[in-house]
Amino acid sequence: MYAQSLFGVIHAFVKNKAQAEDVLQEVMVKIWQKIDTYDASKGRFYTWIVNIARNAAIDKYRSKAYKKERENLSTNNFVDVIEGSYNLGKLTNAIGIKAFKEKLKPKCIKIIDLLFYKGFTHKEAAENLSIPLGTLKTRNRACINELRTLLDIK
């Protein structure tokens, strides 16, 4: 039921379809093994599993093996267009995030894209946007609060 949405989150970080499928399998096993740690009072189930998927994708993206593998790939693997029946834009929109993200201010969209979709650390995002680290963190907090207001989450 959640596989397509989780695959979209993972594929945003791990651009290789086969590797993203492997990470998805690992995530599903992890969810199955850790289900007793889920606490409904802390948030929705979907949010919990998306966080597990996102963290697993970031771990894969930052791993030495993944970085070393990418060093030896041809430039064709780095094209920003996703082809095939698994269009990431559709997957992201299928979980309803895209519509809310587009309602944010442009600076918030950039920050959220870097931190949550591309897996940048706060430091990397601050450097990318040429702003101080503290400013980025303050803006990120404000953007998340704005997103919560749009989603009506308390």
Side-chain angles (χ1 to χ4, degrees):
M1 189 165 113
Y2 298 106
Q4 188 177 16
S5 296
L6 296 179
F7 179 80
V9 170
I10 294 165
H11 196 267
F13 294 96
V14 183
K15 303 290 184 194
N16 181 298
K17 183 182 179 194
Q19 289 180 340
E21 289 172 345
D22 289 343
V23 173
L24 176 63
Q25 179 66 29
E26 293 168 13
V27 166
M28 292 299 195
V29 170
K30 191 172 197 173
I31 291 168
W32 180 262
Q33 291 173 340
K34 302 285 184 179
I35 193 68
D36 58 326
T37 64
Y38 168 66
D39 184 0
S41 67
K42 292 183 179 180
R44 296 181 323 168
F45 178 72
Y46 181 75
T47 306
W48 183 70
I49 64 172
V50 165
N51 282 329
I52 292 173
R54 184 178 161 276
N55 291 339
I58 290 171
D59 289 346
K60 177 69 172 178
Y61 181 78
R62 291 182 180 168
S63 72
K64 287 182 183 178
Y66 182 77
K67 287 180 182 177
K68 187 160 183 86
E69 210 173 274
R70 288 181 56 134
E71 287 175 0
N72 299 323
L73 296 177
S74 73
T75 56
N76 293 335
N77 292 312
F78 298 100
V79 177
D80 241 354
V81 178
I82 299 172
E83 298 174 1
S85 61
Y86 58 98
N87 187 323
L88 183 60
K90 288 180 185 174
L91 293 176
T92 303
N93 198 34
I95 59 177
I97 295 172
K98 188 176 181 181
F100 289 105
K101 188 183 86 166
E102 289 174 352
K103 292 179 183 179
L104 296 172
K105 297 173 189 167
K107 69 178 182 181
C108 286
I109 292 172
K110 287 180 186 175
I111 290 171
I112 289 174
D113 278 342
L114 292 175
L115 294 176
F116 296 98
Y117 287 105
K118 294 184 178 173
F120 281 38
T121 63
H122 284 95
K123 183 180 178 185
E124 292 168 340
E127 290 170 359
N128 185 283
L129 296 172
S130 301
I131 59 175
L133 181 60
T135 303
L136 176 94
K137 289 182 177 184
T138 301
R139 287 183 185 171
N140 180 44
R141 204 170 18 255
C143 293
I144 296 299
N145 287 335
E146 186 178 334
L147 191 56
R148 282 186 180 135
T149 302
L150 287 172
L151 294 171
D152 196 28
I153 299 174
K154 296 177 175 150

